Structures are given as C-alpha cells and as structure tokens.
Amino acid sequence: MVVPRYERRETVAFVEVKSPPPPANALSGAVADVTALARGLGVTLGYMFQKPVTIQYPEERPRISARHRGRHELERHDNGLEKCVGCELCALACPSKAIFVEGAENPPDAPVSIGERYAKTYIVNMIRCIFCGFCVEACPTEALQLKKVFELADYTRESMIYSKETLLAPAPKREATDSWMPG
Amino acid sequence: MPDETIMDGLFGLDGATWDMILAVITALIKAFVIVNGLLLAFAYMTLTERKVLGRMQARFGPNRVGPFGLLQPIADGIKLAFKEDVTPRQANFWVHMVAPMMALIPALIIFAVIPLGPEMRILGQPWTWYVAKINVGYLYATAIASVGVYGLVLAGWASNSKYALLGGLRASAQVISYELAQGLAAMTALVLAGSLNLYEIVNQQVSSGLPYALYLPFGLIAFVIYVVAGVAESNRAPFDMAEAEGELGAGFHTEYSGFKWSMFFMAEYVNMINISALATVLFLGGWWPIPTDAPGIIQGLGPIVFLIKIGAFMFMFIWLRATFPRLRFDRLMSLGWKVLLPIALVNLLLTSAVVALWPLGVWPFAQ
C-alpha cells in the first residue's frame, strides 16, 4: 500500500467579505459610523478589566509542553550504566553538524555502558544546534533526550560547547534501590 | 495678601507697594508650583498611559521599576537626560535647538489662566486658584497654543530630513484646520457666557447650575466638536499625523534625541492637559457641582473636582489611542473642513440666535 507522504488539503485563498449595505441616507450612515466607533471603544474597555495574558517570566515559570525540545541529556540505566553505546548515529543525523562522538571499547572490568562500546567523547555544540530532535530519533538506545530546560544563554562561545560531563545525567543514588527514579 | 496695616511702613515702603510685591511673589510661587506640577503630571501621565494601554492590550505595562512600576518615569528621565544629544550635520543648529523650547514653553504658560477653583479665603486671607485672571483669558490660551505649533513646524524644517519635514507640514496643516472648528465650538460657550474671562465662564455655569455641555442640544454638539478638534490639536491618536510612526519614522521629531526629544513629549502631554482643562472650563463647568459661594471647606473641594474632570479627559485620550487606528491625511482634513467646521458654524449661529431671542439668561432647552 502506498501511503502518500503529504496529505493535500484544499485551501481557501480568498474569503468573500460581505460589505454592509450602503446606508439609506447620510444621517443613518453617520449613526452607524458612531455606533461602530462606540463598539470599538467598548472592546478596549472590556479588555482593560480582563486579566493580562503576560507570564511574569523570572518569577512566574512558563508552562513547558511535554514534548518540548530543550537541552540535551545523555541518559543512564537504573544501574548507573550509560545508555549511549557510541554508535555516532546522532552525529550522522544532525543536520547542522553540532554533535561529535568518539567511541571506544568498553573496559571489561569496569564497563561504562551496557554494550561493547561506549562514547569516550561526546560533544554538542549548542551554538550550532537547531533543536530539531533528529539526534533523538536516530538514537537506537534512547540514550539521548531533549529535556525541558530552555535557559541556555551564557557569556562565552566556549561555554556553549557542552562536554560529556555536562550532558550526562547524574548517577542514580545506590541506596534508594526500591523506588523508581525518574530521568 | 496680608493685612495692609501690618506691612504698612515696613522698610519704608507703603501698603500699596507691599501689596504689589506680595502679589508678584505669590504669582511666582504659583507659577513655580504649576510648572513643576505640570511636568510631574506629564511624567506620571506617561506611566499611566503605558499602564492603561497595556491593560487594554491584555498585558501589564511597566511594572519593574519600584512598586507597580511607580518609579518608571524617574528611570526614563535619567535615561533621557544622559542620552547623547545629536544634531544632524546639515540641520540648522539654532532653529533645531530652539524648536523644542518653542513647543514646550507655550504649553506650560497656558495653564496660568485656568481657574482651578473658586476665589476663596484661607485663614481670612483672599486666595485664588489661578495665576492670572485675564478678561480675554480664552483668547490668551488659544493665541499661546497657536505659538506652540511653530515648535513642531520649525523642528520639521530645521532637521533637514524628509520625514521630519513632512511631519512638520502635516502638523501645520492639521492644527490650522482644526483650530477653526475648535475655536467655533468654544465660541458657543463664550456666547452663552457672554465673556472671554475663563473665571467668569465657570462662574456663569456654576451659578446657573448646569454646565454648558448640558445646554441641549447646542452645548453638547459644541462640546463634542471641541473634544474631537482638541484631540487633533494635540496631535494625538487617531489624529497623530504629525508623528505617524508607521509612515514617517517619528514625524517632526525624527532627528531629535535625548532631552530635546523629551521636551516635545512634555509639550504634547502638557497640551493634552491644557486642552482638557479648557474643555472643563468651557463645557463642564470647572468646579461645577461645588457652589462658588460655599463655605471654605467645600470650596476647597473645587480644585479636586476640576482635577478629576481633567483626569477623565486624559483617560479618554488614552482610550482613544488604544482603540482607533490613524486616519488617512486627506480623511483627516475632510473631517475637519467638511464635517466639524460646518456643524460648528451652524451650531454657533443657532446658539447666538437663541441667546439673542431669550435675553433673560434662561436656556429654553435646558430642562
């Protein structure tokens, strides 16, 4: 079965605007004009007594949608091992070449990830990143996630290049083994 | 002025001389208070305007500097005072410098003739709520207001910028055409009062118990025309052709920065206050519900009533700006010349006829 890639929709280019009928005489026209002006004044006055829609940002936090694409994070398994296996598929998928991954063999006595290989170097250039989320889609182990953190501004270009230490999710606490730990 | 007998002979000057000196000193103090009061009102008018505009557009307006943004005008003032004062190289330096003063100073001195409250006695001494009681008070106000337009025109000419020039031209054309309608509408009130003295005009309305705006129908028509023309006179939206920031950059003050720029804004806002005050005097009866010969405490409420009326007008100015888009220039001119002017003329004619036919001072349509 051939699934069309894009569904073609009928779009209405022009909407017929029905202009009001011409006034019967000059007086009724003037009355209609003044009524229209008064109605406009009523609209603005009505808005004045409504609650402003502004979000007072630094004090009041904006509501971030569940699928917001913000800051990158490299996830871990519950046992603390990294999910990333250093396959470099995210780097390949990235349209703006913002990701650099260098994989290496897992040391057998102290494995970093669950696979044979792990990411020795993992760098995301946040200046280049366009937050398209292709890297997340490409990741076979669901190691890379885009989180809800959106306050990414900083003062230098160097600080915008995130190393693996910055990106890696914090290691889960060992003692609380019973409870489910988010993220 | 204090009792003559106390001052008589002090420093070798007789009582009449002392009266004169004290009158001058009182006038100077009043002028100082009025000028600073107007500038303070301007500062907080800008804040009020931004707040009200914000709320009408479902946002907050400035609320960061101080509680509720109350210190915002001070922050703005400091910012403007420290801004670089740029004069374009090809501009006419002196005219460019004098133009903002030409706009601001007339706006400030009009208020001298506005009677804010009834003549009263405070602690037994006579006290007046105006600086000067001129028997041609209205004429003085309009004459000075016309001088203020030179500021706009000269600013447009001296900037050597096409936007500024167009803004200045529009300002002159607009103000000249709306002055006619405004003057004729005000004439209606003057005919009803039989005086040009602003204090007398208010007195007439207060003693007759009815402001001229309620002298139906002619008073109300004149009032509406006066207000519409007043909005155009003060170059406010929707008649802000001289600025027209969408099409002319910033109009006549495109090439101004820093304190000179803020002087144009002071002039605009103080002119709004002046037009509101004049409309209050001419049509809303000044301190109207307060009788002129009431006991002192109640008389003291007169200025408060007056200021509330001015405030209502200022709110209307903001409300209009928040609601209406700018008129096209030719529509603006045709509204002034083809609608307001004929109506004002006929209205004045009929009012004069009524006043001439009922010489007893009784308005036949009032009740």
Side-chain angles (χ1 to χ4, degrees):
Chain A
M1 195 180 91
V2 179
V3 179
R5 223 187 141 153
Y6 298 106
E7 192 186 338
R8 198 178 168 79
R9 288 190 189 173
E10 290 298 318
T11 53
V12 181
F14 296 100
V15 179
E16 191 191 347
V17 177
K18 288 200 179 76
S19 52
N25 53 49
L27 187 66
S28 67
V31 168
D33 286 355
V34 171
T35 319
L37 293 178
R39 228 173 34 233
L41 286 171
V43 169
T44 41
L45 197 67
Y47 269 99
M48 195 179 154
F49 295 108
Q50 279 180 17
K51 197 174 172 295
V53 297
T54 314
I55 295 168
Q56 305 257 50
Y57 161 57
E59 297 92 27
E60 203 182 317
R61 305 300 299 182
R63 201 180 56 80
I64 306 290
S65 71
R67 302 177 70 175
H68 182 84
R69 298 197 297 267
R71 186 186 184 277
H72 303 250
E73 191 174 275
L74 285 171
E75 304 295 338
R76 286 178 196 270
H77 286 288
D78 285 350
N79 58 8
L81 288 177
E82 291 170 19
K83 285 184 177 176
C84 180
V85 292
C87 68
E88 302 183 25
L89 280 177
C90 47
L92 282 170
C94 185
S96 53
K97 306 262 186 293
I99 305 180
F100 173 76
V101 186
E102 188 190 1
E105 290 289 330
N106 250 333
D109 47 342
V112 181
S113 74
I114 53 165
E116 288 174 14
R117 292 167 67 80
Y118 76 105
K120 201 172 108 190
T121 318
Y122 198 105
I123 293 173
V124 181
N125 188 338
M126 298 300 270
I127 302 174
R128 297 197 66 123
C129 179
I130 59 172
F131 300 97
C132 62
F134 284 4
C135 46
V136 178
E137 286 179 28
C139 187
T141 59
E142 294 183 2
L144 191 63
Q145 299 286 319
L146 290 179
K147 294 297 195 182
K148 289 185 183 179
V149 180
F150 62 93
E151 288 151 315
L152 300 169
D154 213 327
Y155 289 99
T156 59
R157 285 163 174 272
E158 291 72 31
S159 62
M160 295 302 288
I161 295 168
Y162 285 13
S163 65
K164 192 181 171 189
E165 291 75 53
T166 325
L167 293 165
L168 207 56
K173 287 178 194 156
R174 279 282 147 187
E175 51 270 26
T177 45
D178 289 351
S179 63
W180 176 81
M181 305 287 286
Chain B
M1 273 128 267
D3 211 358
E4 276 184 35
T5 46
I6 301 170
M7 311 294 285
D8 205 7
L10 205 63
F11 301 120
L13 297 170
D14 59 357
T17 318
W18 271 114
D19 272 0
M20 217 161 73
I21 292 171
L22 285 174
V24 168
I25 291 173
T26 320
L28 281 176
I29 292 171
K30 279 181 186 170
F32 181 81
V33 170
I34 283 179
V35 167
N36 285 286
L38 282 175
L39 293 182
L40 193 73
F42 149 74
Y44 278 91
M45 187 60 203
T46 58
L47 178 68
T48 316
E49 170 153 38
R50 290 168 68 184
K51 283 277 218 199
V52 172
L53 274 181
R55 291 307 295 255
M56 284 182 172
Q57 295 158 1
R59 58 189 174 84
F60 282 102
N63 62 353
R64 294 282 140 179
V65 191
F68 306 108
L70 280 175
L71 301 179
Q72 183 71 39
I74 297 167
D76 286 342
I78 293 171
K79 181 199 78 171
L80 284 169
F82 282 101
K83 271 204 163 184
E84 187 185 358
D85 185 19
V86 182
T87 308
R89 192 176 296 163
Q90 298 292 316
N92 185 319
F93 178 79
W94 288 106
V95 182
H96 188 266
M97 193 178 75
V98 168
M101 304 176 196
M102 291 275 288
L104 177 59
I105 291 171
L108 287 176
I109 60 180
I110 287 174
F111 215 81
V113 291
I114 305 288
L116 280 177
E119 286 170 352
M120 55 191 287
R121 300 185 81 81
I122 293 176
L123 304 174
Q125 304 298 328
W127 175 258
T128 56
W129 292 98
Y130 48 77
V131 178
K133 182 175 172 180
I134 313 176
N135 56 4
V136 288
Y138 179 73
L139 214 55
Y140 165 85
T142 42
I144 300 289
S146 306
V147 174
V149 186
Y150 280 99
L152 276 56
V153 178
L154 290 178
W157 176 81
S159 295
N160 191 40
S161 149
K162 52 181 174 290
Y163 296 129
L165 186 60
L166 281 171
L169 280 175
R170 284 180 174 192
S172 55
Q174 175 183 336
V175 173
I176 287 168
S177 37
Y178 275 84
E179 239 167 28
L180 289 170
Q182 195 187 22
L184 286 172
M187 281 283 281
T188 309
L190 302 180
V191 164
L192 286 170
S195 170
L196 282 167
N197 187 331
L198 297 183
Y199 188 83
E200 281 308 312
I201 293 169
V202 176
N203 235 346
Q204 291 268 349
Q205 298 174 66
V206 173
S207 54
S208 76
L210 209 60
Y212 288 148
L214 296 181
Y215 276 45
L216 300 171
F218 304 128
L220 186 63
I221 295 171
F223 174 60
V224 171
I225 291 174
Y226 189 90
V227 170
V228 173
V231 176
E233 277 279 296
S234 57
N235 277 319
R236 290 282 302 179
F239 304 114
D240 54 346
M241 300 310 303
E243 285 177 47
E245 55 262 38
E247 39 198 286
L248 290 183
F252 64 93
H253 58 64
T254 307
E255 302 295 340
Y256 281 87
S257 59
F259 208 73
K260 288 182 197 162
W261 179 86
S262 67
M263 278 165 88
F264 280 120
F265 265 80
M266 288 179 204
E268 179 181 324
Y269 282 85
V270 174
N271 270 328
M272 281 159 66
I273 296 173
N274 288 333
I275 284 163
S276 309
L278 277 173
T280 307
V281 165
L282 292 173
F283 293 102
L284 295 190
W287 56 90
W288 161 52
I290 310 285
T292 304
D293 49 359
I297 299 287
I298 299 174
Q299 272 183 328
L301 294 174
I304 298 171
V305 172
F306 199 103
L307 292 179
I308 289 172
K309 287 176 183 174
I310 291 182
F313 271 109
M314 302 306 269
F315 179 77
M316 182 209 70
F317 274 108
I318 301 172
W319 192 8
L320 291 178
R321 182 177 165 186
T323 308
F324 297 133
R326 186 180 306 120
L327 264 73
R328 213 169 63 200
F329 189 55
D330 58 320
R331 296 256 176 111
L332 177 90
M333 294 308 257
S334 70
L335 175 69
W337 287 100
K338 294 184 189 166
V339 180
L340 294 186
L341 185 63
I343 293 177
L345 207 54
V346 171
N347 192 46
L348 174 61
L349 203 68
L350 294 176
T351 314
S352 311
V354 171
V355 169
L357 290 175
W358 278 271
L360 301 173
V362 180
W363 185 250
F365 312 123
Q367 272 75 38

